[in-house]
Amino acid sequence: QKEVEQDPGPLSVPEGAIVSLNCTYSNSAFQYFMWYRQYSRKGPELLMYTYSSGNKEDGRFTAQVDKSSKYISLFIRDSQPSDSATYLCARSGGSNYKLTFGKGTLLTVNP
Amino acid sequence: DVKVTQSSRYLVKRTGEKVFLECVQDMDHENMFWYRQDPGLGLRLIYFSYDVKMKEKGDIPEGYSVSREKKERFSLILESASTNQTSMYLCASSLGGGVGEQYFGPGTRLTVT
């Protein structure tokens, strides 16, 4: 089983919708979770990161970790066409400086 | 503002050529990484370096080598390019320790014909 699983989508929503992007992970060790956004033909950019459990909010974006179910989520409120991109989840493992990435979910927000 | 730059955005090379991809970061980061990204396969780690002149193999090192002579620069070398190395190549860097978040360059789209 891959350490981080992510539904590849694609996901298509109307402008203004609430978007939920999800990943599951298998390793329960100490770790941080990250969300990256990648526009077409560009490098991934870090959106936000959270510790092993709890929520973190940044504007229209909320990252959530459910440690009991090993589930991580990114919620986008009031989605905009400019949010159309591939979203990648990732985890780090304490002192291990490598990240484990999901394969990414392609999101399209239609005007 | 964090900055990772890659030497080329697009590159076309012939089979058998030696290819150099260069990455420079200006954040004084200890760690640097090379990934390739292919549709349906996601990001795959080729090599990483945690210090000058130090390197470790990632998940798919075959056909690649790397060089890190200075802290800010990390080069990926394709000794003899093959068509199955056509891909998007991404460089990233991160601080040693801490959260471990990585900052990516814009990518190089390499086509081997």
Side-chain angles (χ1 to χ4, degrees):
Chain A
Q1 180 189 7
K2 200 174 187 304
E3 285 195 55
V4 177
E5 300 275 2
Q6 185 173 10
D7 185 344
L11 185 61
S12 181
V13 301
E15 184 175 352
I18 296 174
V19 176
S20 172
L21 302 165
N22 306 295
C23 293
T24 58
Y25 64 96
S26 56
N27 187 333
S28 297
F30 162 86
Q31 54 202 329
Y32 286 91
F33 295 96
M34 297 155 206
W35 284 96
Y36 286 83
R37 176 176 63 196
Q38 185 177 21
Y39 291 116
S40 181
R41 300 185 183 278
K42 300 284 177 65
E45 58 176 322
L46 179 68
L47 277 177
M48 56 202 307
Y49 62 83
T50 57
Y51 188 54
S52 294
S53 62
N55 293 0
K56 186 172 184 179
E57 188 174 319
D58 185 1
R60 296 184 294 110
F61 297 86
T62 300
Q64 188 174 78
V65 179
D66 184 337
K67 203 174 178 181
S68 60
S69 59
K70 297 182 182 175
Y71 213 72
I72 53 178
S73 302
L74 179 71
F75 298 98
I76 307 174
R77 290 185 302 280
D78 188 25
S79 56
Q80 302 295 309
S82 59
D83 295 328
S84 299
T86 296
Y87 289 80
L88 299 153
C89 60
R91 63 159 278 271
S92 66
S95 60
N96 185 342
Y97 34 71
K98 287 194 286 184
L99 296 182
T100 302
F101 287 89
K103 290 186 178 179
T105 300
L106 176 61
L107 170 68
T108 301
V109 180
N110 301 298
Chain B
D1 201 17
V2 297
K3 200 71 182 286
V4 179
T5 56
Q6 294 183 229
S7 50
S8 305
R9 291 300 309 277
Y10 300 95
L11 210 53
V12 180
K13 295 291 182 181
R14 293 190 180 274
T15 302
E17 278 193 83
K18 192 168 185 175
V19 182
F20 293 87
L21 302 181
E22 289 214 317
C23 174
V24 178
Q25 51 96 2
D26 66 358
M27 298 165 284
D28 202 33
H29 283 173
E30 285 80 9
N31 306 317
M32 296 187 75
F33 307 82
W34 274 108
Y35 295 89
R36 64 178 284 178
Q37 187 176 36
D38 301 287
L41 297 177
L43 282 167
R44 291 183 290 168
L45 182 64
I46 303 171
Y47 266 98
F48 65 99
S49 168
Y50 49 91
D51 201 352
V52 175
K53 298 189 187 294
M54 306 303 288
K55 59 186 179 185
E56 281 193 27
K57 293 179 180 179
D59 301 317
I60 52 162
E62 297 78 20
Y64 303 94
S65 62
V66 291
S67 172
R68 193 170 180 197
E69 296 296 318
K70 293 185 178 182
K71 190 175 185 180
E72 67 271 18
R73 190 179 298 268
F74 193 34
S75 301
L76 179 70
I77 303 150
L78 286 67
E79 296 290 342
S80 177
S82 63
T83 54
N84 63 13
Q85 292 179 310
T86 291
S87 186
M88 171 72 124
Y89 289 87
L90 290 157
C91 175
S93 70
S94 72
L95 274 171
V99 174
E101 74 274 28
Q102 294 179 12
Y103 296 90
F104 284 83
T108 296
R109 166 64 65 179
L110 172 67
T111 302
V112 183
T113 61

